Amino acid sequence: MPSSQPPARGATPAPTQDTALNAAQRTRALAEMSSAEGLDVLVVGGGVTGAGIALDAAARGLRTGIVEMGDWASGTSSWSSKLIHGGLRYLYQLNLALVHESLTERGRLLTTTAPHLVKAQPFLWPLRHHYERSYSAVGVGAYDALALVGARGRRTLPVQRHLGRRGTAALAPALDTSGLAGSIRFFDARVDDARLVIDLVRTAVGLGALAANRTRVTGFLTDGRGHVHGARVTDLATGTEHEIRARYTISATGVWTEEVQDLASADGGLKVLASKGIHVVVPREAIDAQTGVFLRTEKSVLFIIPWPEYWVIGTTDTPWDLDVSRPVATAADVDYILAHANSVLARPITRDDIIGVYAGLRPLLQPRLRPGAQAASTKVSREHTVTRVVPGLTAIAGGKLTTYRVMAADAVDHALGEALARTHPCATADLPLVGAAGYRALAARAGQIAAERGWRLERVTHLLDRYGDETPALLASIDAAEDPLARLGEPLESAPAYLRAEVAWAVTHEGAERLDDVLLRRVRLDVSRRDHGLGAADEILSVMTPLLGWTRQEAAAQKEAYAQRVSDITAAEAEVTDAAAVAHLRQPV
């Protein structure tokens, strides 16, 4: 195990040249984590919170490892609304501290941390009555003011703008303005959540962190007093077991929090309530608008969010007490989304318009209740909590995507203790993620790059918004490809927005080891194609197979497993109840 002495104080380590996640890196990472030297910090959980914690710890100069039982971001962190926002509805709950914190982090992501991934997004808030304008304007005005304070006086997004019925219709012809008094336009931001997680892990690896996905914690290493000194893990790819010794272990496992902490102690720890949120995806042509739409509902809020190829509409908020590895949307969930979206649309969206549906679970902190009582999930706090489960094991739960960096800092501070946290302070406030540092300079040359390649500007913009300043390296991989049959510079036939090179990059740099890794979290056709991307499987497999050394039979098995997933989810989404829907699922989703 590591020395009992505190790790030496030092500046943030310089990033290495190699931030790639791939099979070889994963094998090396597991071997190094299992060595006698051990770790300062072991992070359990590879969602946005765990990835943020790994980056935070590595940036402090601590010897850090992170393990995840599935693929990176395979749980909650790939099924969110994909918004980086302050939480306008929390403002109306007078939770000013949470809103201020969120808006501060939004500004960081937009300007410094991940400007290639996080994009400004305007929304219209339709108003049905003139009296709504005054109190709504006060709320959005406070939102803008808190954002300005959080950005230290720098304006990162435009302020609110008031529109009448005519101005509303001009920006969003799809809205039924006959019953509206007007609208307010305000700004938030959107992000590809899974890409954010992958870039966090890769940035941590560049700072020396050791990362291994598909590695399940099966128990904790303890001394005679119950003090945790690391974890026993199983490499799910090979079945081999490892012992990873660490001075501090941090669990960031979301809806699996109680399951993981129970491996160390049946007493204490955090209580987490799983809440299901589903989203519906429709093509861009289904809604004629230049802006997103924000609606307040009787239970929560609903967003209609534009992306280049489609609209994401959501979300729901319902308690989930079934298998947390199998959240799935039901017909009733879809009906709820359609009903609320159609309440403001002139041309109703129908089921025929839907090209994708996805479901995820939020890990909400469970309040203490009298025996037999149950809290409505919409009233449970989104704020996070950090606790010491037993000495040596810290757990964190709650929070939201936008504030992952703050959560990470709090978790590492708590694990280290006050004295060590002072000598090893958080160093991520102005730390750019992989792809961020040179993004703006490169974006200024987008037209030149497009002309050199003979591409449309949209293709270069697409690459820059996914890979940032790594785009030249991806382009170089196209030029350097030894096998002309790989045709890496060509678009996918069934998904021409993506290049074949992006599939290869997902394998060589982003840790994709299975077909569903690509379709669900790298080249995300699962949510944007009626067949969940199954029609692109053969072409994607033709790129992946030589890179991963699969046989023809192994590649066929990958397609068969994905086809089974598509079949199961399609059947589940026809059911009305959660229990009936889950019964169709033969594998985790």
Side-chain angles (χ1 to χ4, degrees):
M1 62 174 290
S3 167
S4 59
Q5 297 299 314
R9 181 177 182 177
T12 301
T16 66
Q17 293 299 309
D18 191 0
T19 61
L21 299 175
N22 52 48
Q25 163 275 322
R26 177 182 174 278
T27 299
R28 289 193 303 269
L30 263 177
E32 289 189 43
M33 279 192 275
S34 307
S35 69
E37 183 181 358
L39 304 171
D40 292 318
V41 176
L42 172 63
V43 184
V44 182
V48 71
T49 307
I53 292 169
L55 175 56
D56 183 283
R60 299 185 197 218
L62 302 172
R63 182 169 166 81
T64 303
I66 178 172
V67 294
E68 157 61 39
M69 68 176 178
D71 184 24
W72 306 115
S74 56
T76 299
S77 295
S78 58
W79 305 120
S80 74
S81 297
K82 311 186 194 314
L83 289 176
I84 297 294
H85 65 120
L88 188 58
R89 67 188 174 117
Y90 303 142
L91 194 63
Y92 287 90
Q93 298 169 0
L94 299 181
N95 195 338
L96 300 183
L98 178 59
V99 175
H100 175 260
E101 180 179 86
S102 300
L103 291 174
T104 300
E105 293 305 307
R106 185 190 73 180
R108 281 196 175 100
L109 286 159
L110 279 164
T111 60
T112 305
T113 309
H116 59 310
L117 298 179
V118 179
K119 302 300 175 184
Q121 178 57 61
F123 286 97
L124 283 183
W125 183 349
L127 305 175
R128 296 193 177 279
H129 307 285
H130 288 287
Y131 66 77
E132 289 182 281
R133 189 176 296 279
S134 57
Y135 76 78
S136 299
V138 169
V140 179
Y143 201 60
D144 291 336
L146 288 170
L148 191 62
V149 171
R152 299 180 181 179
R154 294 178 300 161
R155 180 74 63 191
T156 57
L157 291 175
V159 297
Q160 65 172 302
R161 178 185 172 194
H162 289 246
L163 302 171
R165 187 182 299 175
R166 183 176 299 176
T168 300
L171 275 180
L175 289 179
D176 179 2
T177 58
S178 61
L180 298 182
S183 65
I184 297 177
R185 189 194 70 171
F186 69 95
F187 276 78
D188 258 316
R190 57 178 169 80
V191 68
D192 183 326
D193 46 10
R195 294 205 67 77
L196 175 63
V197 174
I198 292 166
D199 279 5
L200 283 166
V201 176
R202 292 187 60 209
T203 307
V205 167
L207 294 174
L210 304 168
N213 60 354
R214 296 198 166 86
T215 301
R216 180 190 291 274
V217 170
T218 56
F220 290 105
L221 305 177
T222 60
D223 60 19
R225 299 169 298 167
H227 191 122
V228 168
H229 293 293
R232 287 185 298 276
V233 305
T234 298
D235 178 352
L236 298 181
T238 64
T240 58
E241 296 184 351
H242 301 262
E243 289 191 350
I244 302 174
R245 299 191 176 275
R247 296 185 71 230
Y248 310 103
T249 301
I250 303 175
S251 170
T253 49
V255 293
W256 287 270
T257 294
E258 294 181 52
E259 178 182 329
V260 172
Q261 69 189 11
D262 285 350
L263 294 174
S265 173
D267 303 319
L270 297 174
K271 297 292 183 182
V272 172
L273 173 71
S275 169
K276 185 178 73 168
I278 82 114
H279 294 77
V280 167
V281 183
V282 299
R284 278 305 298 256
E285 59 268 22
I287 301 175
D288 183 8
Q290 303 173 39
T291 175
V293 180
F294 167 84
L295 304 174
R296 297 188 73 180
T297 71
E298 73 283 359
K299 293 182 180 180
S300 183
V301 296
L302 189 86
F303 288 96
I304 303 176
I305 311 160
W307 285 79
E309 291 187 273
Y310 49 78
W311 297 83
V312 174
I313 309 173
T315 180
T316 56
D317 197 349
T318 55
W320 181 267
D321 57 6
L322 301 169
D323 185 345
V324 293
S325 68
R326 289 171 166 80
V328 66
T330 66
D333 294 326
V334 173
D335 287 343
Y336 173 90
I337 295 290
L338 293 181
H340 282 82
N342 288 336
S343 70
V344 296
L345 296 176
R347 186 189 78 80
I349 297 171
T350 70
R351 286 183 174 273
D352 290 339
D353 294 309
I354 296 174
I355 57 175
V357 179
Y358 65 90
L361 299 178
R362 304 177 192 87
L364 307 182
L365 295 176
Q366 175 70 61
R368 295 183 180 273
L369 299 169
R370 65 184 183 277
Q374 184 176 359
S377 59
T378 51
K379 295 183 182 296
V380 177
S381 173
R382 260 67 173 177
E383 294 181 74
H384 64 275
T385 293
V386 187
T387 191
R388 180 168 290 105
V389 180
V390 295
L393 176 61
T394 293
I396 183 169
K400 55 205 287 279
L401 177 69
T402 306
T403 55
Y404 78 85
R405 195 196 66 82
V406 176
M407 296 173 66
D410 287 351
V412 178
D413 282 349
H414 187 279
L416 295 182
E418 187 175 346
L420 272 180
R422 278 200 305 268
T423 59
H424 293 73
C426 174
T428 58
D430 299 308
L431 180 64
L433 302 187
V434 164
Y439 162 72
R440 286 198 172 84
L442 200 59
R445 296 180 47 239
Q448 177 186 342
I449 296 170
E452 291 170 352
R453 292 272 166 177
W455 289 344
R456 297 182 62 182
L457 181 60
E458 290 84 354
R459 182 174 301 288
V460 177
T461 300
H462 160 90
L463 294 175
L464 289 170
D465 289 351
R466 287 168 58 80
Y467 307 101
D469 65 19
E470 290 195 306
T471 300
L474 184 143
L475 297 179
S477 73
I478 295 174
D479 299 335
E482 296 180 359
D483 182 3
L485 297 178
R487 296 181 288 118
L488 297 184
E490 296 181 14
L492 293 171
E493 292 179 7
S494 53
Y498 297 91
L499 295 177
R500 291 169 61 91
E502 296 185 70
V503 177
W505 189 268
V507 173
T508 59
H509 287 72
E510 296 175 350
E513 297 178 7
R514 302 195 322 197
L515 176 62
D516 61 356
D517 292 347
V518 174
L519 286 172
L520 271 62
R521 289 171 289 276
R522 276 60 165 199
V523 178
R524 307 191 71 174
L525 302 185
D526 173 67
V527 300
S528 62
R529 295 293 186 277
R530 294 183 192 275
D531 68 350
H532 296 265
L534 186 59
D538 288 336
E539 188 175 8
I540 289 174
L541 285 169
S542 73
V543 178
M544 297 181 71
T545 294
L547 294 172
L548 291 167
W550 286 337
T551 64
R552 184 178 300 177
Q553 292 76 16
E554 288 171 329
Q558 289 286 321
K559 182 178 179 181
E560 182 180 351
Y562 192 76
Q564 186 66 68
R565 177 188 184 276
V566 172
S567 175
D568 290 354
I569 288 179
T570 301
E573 289 172 359
E575 299 289 353
V576 175
T577 68
D578 289 337
V582 168
H584 288 281
L585 305 180
R586 280 167 277 188
Q587 56 184 313
V589 296

